[in-house]
Amino acid sequence: FDVQDRVVIADERLVVVEVNVLTTTFLNGYNELVWLRNSQIFADRAGVRNLSRSEHAECAVELDLWIEDSINANIVALEQVVRKWCEARAHIWVADQCGDATCCSGPTAGVLCS
């Protein structure tokens, strides 16, 4: 979400006023400012429903994988599944702007996404 988006968090409709590193400020239906910790917002099982998505927003997904599952073939397969999922929902996601996942090995082992 972004500033001025209308969202639903814990069954409460809110308007995003300000987004900071640790907290986000919302305006509720009673014109009261509500401060929530970002960790609290995203830990909620119900999640966040964005009723008025900002244009040109970017979304990133970070995955922690077991080292034995992090072989290049598995990373490529996971990337293909995510890309197909996005393409099947072209009205929500812009699939041709998806980044790439890259497997790295050695002392800086991991996955680099661009």
Side-chain angles (χ1 to χ4, degrees):
F1 52 82
D2 202 0
V3 173
Q4 296 195 353
D5 281 1
R6 292 179 304 115
V7 297
V8 177
I9 299 173
D11 293 325
E12 186 174 357
R13 288 178 178 252
L14 304 164
V15 176
V16 181
V17 175
E18 183 178 21
V19 179
N20 295 303
V21 174
L22 299 175
T23 62
T24 299
T25 307
F26 300 94
L27 189 64
N28 68 12
Y30 300 103
N31 285 332
E32 300 169 328
L33 289 176
V34 178
W35 288 269
L36 296 174
R37 280 184 244 114
N38 292 338
S39 60
Q40 176 186 0
I41 295 169
F42 294 106
D44 185 2
R45 286 180 162 256
V48 177
R49 286 190 304 161
N50 195 337
L51 303 176
S52 62
R53 185 73 181 131
S54 307
E55 291 190 35
H56 308 297
E58 294 184 17
C59 177
V61 176
E62 182 177 303
L63 300 173
D64 293 326
L65 303 172
W66 291 97
I67 190 69
E68 54 269 4
D69 294 333
S70 299
I71 61 173
N72 193 43
N74 289 350
I75 300 298
V76 169
L78 179 61
E79 181 184 359
Q80 290 172 348
V81 167
V82 171
R83 192 173 299 276
K84 285 180 184 177
W85 189 89
C86 290
E87 289 169 354
R89 291 155 183 83
H91 62 287
I92 299 172
W93 301 100
V94 182
D96 63 340
Q97 293 181 6
C98 287
D100 296 317
T102 307
C103 240
C104 303
S105 59
T108 58
V111 177
L112 172 66
C113 297
S114 59

